[in-house]
Amino acid sequence: MPSRSDPVLRHLVEGVGGPLGHHSAPGSTPPDWFTVERVLIVVTVCAAVLAVVVKNPCRVAGWSSPDYFYRACYSDWTELFRSRGLGEGTLPFITEGALFEYPVLLGLLASATAVLVDVMAGGAPLEEKTLLYFDVNAVLLTAVWILTVLATLRLSGRRPWDAMIVASAPVIIVSGTINWDLWAVLLATSGMLAFARRHPVLAGVLWGLGAAVKLYPVLLLGAVLVLAVRSGRYRPFLGALAGTTAAWLAVNVPFLLRDPEAWTYFLTFSETRDAGFSSGWYVYNALARQAGAPILSSGTVNVAAAVLFALSCAGIAVLALRSHRRPRLAQLALLIVGAFILCNKVYSPQYALWLIPLIALAVPRWRVVLGWQLVELLHWGAVWLYLGGQVSGGPPEHNLGLGTYSWAVLAHILATAWVMLLVVRDILEPGQDPVRQDSLDDPQGGPFDRSPDRRVGRTLLRARSRRRRGAVSAEPAAAELDVSGVSGVSGVSGGSGGGRRAGPPDRKG
């Protein structure tokens, strides 16, 4: 129960009756109407209403630059609807020659909602259709948000209230209606749920569809690969990889063959664009340009970001393979996705949505959740004020300058790194992990949950040491044991021992 296990919630719930008493018996008393699922759905709907209220200044006065920056109600939905011709019938990946700087499935989603608006609005003026386009996407977003919460609930095992982190997330309230990222979050989380229920192929299919919306769901395969190596079970990874590949190809190949220029535009746009706002690369270039120092070209940033991400993944793999106990899937997923966000040359406020279900599953501590989201909210406000000044060209005293904005970006980077470091600590010290304190192994691990555990580096070193000494073990050497008591058994090395004469070497070995 959250009010018992989390000291922050123990104080926050005083206004709604205080923490749960020690003599109560959760699970044995019928909850009547207020089941966990229904409470989470109600909270999610209320949060979705707040998300629309945040954008209401633009819903009333319209979306125009730079006002939507100063009002903090900017949305890619309305901007793309007007600037990419969605309001005039130009549909990405359907209208031949239409260029769209996003993956295929996101373009089809944008097209489908545009068609729905056209059916509903008919010959209404563009401004009315723009408002309707936002509202339709906001309603769909509410459904996606609810499904994401329910998927997180079912992933959390004996900690269902951890899904409240997703249902009430302030970051989703302010950034969920910027773009379609929450659709990718739903597919990534649903894929994790399928994997937890031991359906790796279905998980891969959902991750492949998610990668066709935003790239990041495919990164979850890296976590599965590391756990496969750690446990010695490779079939779940191969199944997930096959499902991801098949789903991604099924979505992308038809459009690649039909209109190669439109399909490759997303790749060329991503490769040639400069470092995006709020990334560390942008801040460096902006400060260097202000100081008259050399700046990094787009190609240099591409290479540097790729190298840093590769090194980060290598470090995460070493940590996972050498830790005393096998990490949980959500922990590795959070580290990989977090590293991608920090190393990438583009960062937008809605990218924080990628991390919220992973944080709820990997490090469900409300002190951490609220602290990280507070910093993200400060960054969210800073980026709009900075962009407003860049677009309007107004006097510096009326806008947020580069110095303050750079501090906000640095705070966002440090806050995300802080969350990742806490996860690393929980991996190195499993007793600190709040999930494993509830006598769980890996609720999201599926085939890896309570599977044989081996520390790859130590096993290899021991095998080499035995071969070097040429010693014979009188007993089978057991591989590293996990805390669940499940162990693997290694083979017996050949040689002499026990007073017997050594025979000829086994040629079959």
Side-chain angles (χ1 to χ4, degrees), residues 52-419:
V52 175
V53 170
V54 169
K55 298 296 192 292
N56 207 49
C58 287
R59 294 185 69 256
V60 173
W63 281 267
S64 59
S65 177
D67 292 337
Y68 51 38
F69 292 134
Y70 291 119
R71 294 168 180 162
C73 54
Y74 172 84
S75 174
D76 285 337
W77 296 344
T78 56
E79 185 66 25
L80 293 171
F81 184 77
R82 296 180 302 182
S83 63
R84 299 299 182 274
L86 290 165
E88 286 79 30
T90 302
L91 304 178
F93 300 105
I94 296 178
T95 303
E96 190 170 358
L99 302 180
F100 201 65
E101 62 270 32
Y102 292 100
V104 169
L105 200 54
L106 193 152
L108 296 179
L109 180 61
S111 298
T113 49
V115 170
L116 180 60
V117 167
D118 188 62
V119 171
M120 296 172 63
L126 180 61
E127 287 302 319
E128 292 185 15
K129 295 174 68 174
T130 301
L131 174 59
L132 182 59
Y133 189 74
F134 176 87
D135 289 345
V136 167
N137 278 286
V139 172
L140 294 175
L141 177 84
T142 304
V144 170
W145 194 347
I146 292 173
L147 293 175
T148 305
V149 170
L150 295 178
T152 307
L153 165 69
R154 283 156 177 76
L155 277 167
S156 56
R158 291 172 53 190
R159 302 175 56 92
W161 288 107
D162 288 345
M164 185 64 75
I165 295 173
V166 183
S168 62
V171 168
I172 302 182
I173 292 174
V174 299
S175 298
T177 53
I178 294 178
N179 202 291
W180 290 274
D181 288 69
L182 203 59
W183 288 81
V185 174
L186 170 62
L187 291 168
T189 310
S190 300
M192 291 181 66
L193 178 60
F195 193 86
R197 295 186 172 180
R198 301 176 186 268
H199 300 295
V201 176
L202 175 60
V205 169
L206 293 170
W207 290 337
L209 295 176
V213 178
K214 288 294 180 79
L215 176 64
Y216 96 93
V218 77
L219 300 176
L220 301 181
L221 285 174
V224 176
L225 174 60
V226 172
L227 293 178
V229 175
R230 179 73 190 246
S231 65
R233 296 183 173 182
Y234 294 94
R235 291 186 64 182
F237 169 73
L238 295 176
L241 177 63
T244 302
T245 305
W248 189 86
L249 290 176
V251 171
N252 284 271
V253 169
F255 296 96
L256 171 61
L257 298 177
R258 178 177 177 269
D259 193 345
E261 182 182 1
W263 187 88
T264 56
Y265 180 72
F266 163 67
L267 299 178
T268 56
F269 176 81
S270 301
E271 181 181 359
T272 57
R273 68 181 300 182
D274 293 330
F277 292 102
S278 292
S279 69
W281 306 105
Y282 173 85
V283 170
Y284 171 82
N285 275 347
L287 293 175
R289 189 178 293 109
Q290 190 179 71
I295 64 173
L296 301 175
S297 65
S298 176
T300 302
V301 172
N302 289 338
V303 174
V307 170
L308 281 179
F309 180 60
L311 292 175
S312 300
C313 290
I316 294 169
V318 171
L319 169 69
L321 297 177
R322 298 300 306 275
S323 61
H324 179 72
R325 186 176 178 184
R326 183 182 63 253
R328 296 189 289 111
L329 177 65
Q331 291 175 322
L332 292 176
L334 175 59
L335 292 179
I336 294 172
V337 176
F340 179 77
I341 286 176
L342 295 182
C343 297
N344 195 24
K345 75 173 184 177
V346 177
Y347 180 81
S348 297
Q350 70 270 16
Y351 287 8
L353 274 60
W354 305 355
L355 296 177
I356 292 175
L358 298 178
I359 290 177
L361 298 171
V363 54
R365 297 185 183 93
W366 278 90
R367 176 178 59 86
V368 175
V369 171
L370 296 177
W372 172 74
Q373 293 198 82
L374 174 62
V375 176
E376 290 294 339
L377 289 176
L378 294 175
H379 167 263
W380 173 82
V383 69
W384 302 132
L385 292 177
Y386 178 73
L387 287 173
Q390 294 293 303
V391 173
S392 67
E397 60 269 20
H398 295 161
N399 294 284
L400 194 66
L402 178 60
T404 306
Y405 171 68
S406 299
W407 283 112
V409 174
L410 179 61
H412 137 71
I413 293 174
L414 292 178
T416 303
W418 170 61
V419 174

